Amino acid sequence: MDPHLSFRGRRALVTGAGKGIGRAVAVALSEAGARVTALSRTAADLESLARECPGIEPLCVDLADWDATEAAVGAAGPFQLLVNNAAVAVLQPFLEVTREALERSLDVNFGAVLHVSQIVAGQMIAQGVPGAIVNVSSQASQRALRDHAVYCSTKSALDMLSKVMAMELGPHKIRVNTVNPTVVMTDMGRINWSDPQKSAAMINRIPLGKFAEVDDVVNGILFLLSDKSAMTTGSSLMVDGGFLVS
């Protein structure tokens, strides 16, 4: 994290904050002075996060439940910063995609982002304060990947949603951007890509020759939330090691 970045005096909401990128973003924002609310549907993850970083406020809710989300996020706000990180990845061959996988992916990867952003942006507008929203997308939004029909599609939809949000929320001084990483070496990422044959096929398509570390993504998110990107909105920051140019 850039030691000169400060979010002191700002309130931030991070979804999917129990593990991986979301958890690291919540901790980094807290360390940079923000008052952070960490949202997850897994209470045990929030409990361990609160022990690790006592200043973080846990919020346990399933984002697929719109009524519960509206009540919980509405009561926890207002916020000036939002990171929509929560996502699911149900990988199935196109011909085997199930309705359950489709609906769950759309609910979390797209619908929840729209809904949480509506609530938080509405609070920003009501308070008359500027804000910044970062939606965690993927290189998969712009490149077809085998067995990723639903995941790629939801991330593509997220990219376009973010652009429309940027256009409509810009007059209210609310910036909206996406960060689009390649494979990230979270605990789950290391497990899923531990097979050398599988990982080599992907790494060979990345000019920098490696997967992203969690800090690579966190640093991009913090930049997009910060005043250092004050003229950046409606953009996608690729954290892909050059995957899309290969």
Side-chain angles (χ1 to χ4, degrees):
M1 184 185 70
D2 184 338
H4 301 295
L5 285 180
S6 174
F7 297 96
R8 194 163 304 282
R10 301 187 193 183
R11 298 199 63 211
L13 174 65
V14 181
T15 72
K19 295 183 176 70
I21 295 168
R23 187 184 184 103
V25 169
V27 171
L29 280 169
S30 181
E31 290 176 346
R35 180 180 166 191
V36 178
T37 296
L39 187 154
S40 172
R41 66 183 182 130
T42 307
D45 289 340
L46 291 175
E47 290 166 4
S48 67
L49 176 58
R51 289 193 298 271
E52 176 187 344
C53 195
I56 291 178
E57 301 170 16
L59 184 64
C60 190
V61 65
D62 185 346
L63 293 175
D65 186 332
W66 274 46
D67 290 339
T69 297
E70 186 147 4
V73 174
F79 302 99
Q80 295 82 48
L81 306 171
L82 169 62
V83 180
N84 283 303
N85 170 73
V88 295
V90 183
L91 307 186
Q92 298 170 323
F94 167 72
L95 291 176
E96 299 174 18
V97 170
T98 63
R99 180 175 180 176
E100 180 183 16
L102 174 62
E103 291 179 348
R104 179 65 180 169
S105 298
L106 286 171
D107 281 347
V108 178
N109 297 2
F110 182 80
V113 174
L114 186 151
H115 190 215
V116 172
S117 298
Q118 284 179 327
I119 299 167
V120 173
Q123 294 172 337
M124 294 175 186
I125 294 168
Q127 295 282 319
V129 298
I133 298 172
V134 176
N135 297 326
V136 180
S137 184
S138 170
Q139 67 182 19
S141 72
Q142 300 184 36
R143 185 69 62 86
L145 300 172
R146 188 174 300 277
D147 298 336
H148 285 65
V150 172
Y151 185 78
C152 286
S153 298
T154 58
K155 291 301 186 179
S156 292
L158 176 59
D159 281 3
M160 185 51 68
L161 172 64
S162 302
K163 293 180 186 298
V164 175
M165 288 169 58
M167 180 175 65
E168 295 192 13
L169 297 177
H172 300 286
K173 311 303 180 191
I174 300 170
R175 299 184 299 106
V176 185
N177 295 286
T178 68
V179 63
N180 297 58
T182 183
V183 174
V184 183
M185 290 290 93
T186 60
D187 291 342
M188 186 62 68
R190 294 184 191 281
I191 293 171
N192 290 340
W193 293 88
S194 60
D195 180 352
Q197 185 173 357
K198 177 182 177 181
S199 62
M202 178 64 78
I203 288 175
N204 288 340
R205 298 170 64 183
I206 300 175
L208 291 184
K210 60 181 181 179
F211 293 140
E213 297 295 333
V214 171
D215 282 350
D216 295 325
V217 185
V218 171
N219 288 335
I221 292 171
L222 295 184
F223 168 72
L224 291 173
L225 290 175
S226 77
D227 294 338
K228 291 182 181 293
S229 62
M231 197 59 185
T232 303
T233 194
S235 296
S236 294
L237 177 60
M238 308 310 301
V239 187
D240 67 345
F243 175 84
L244 289 181
V245 301
S246 66

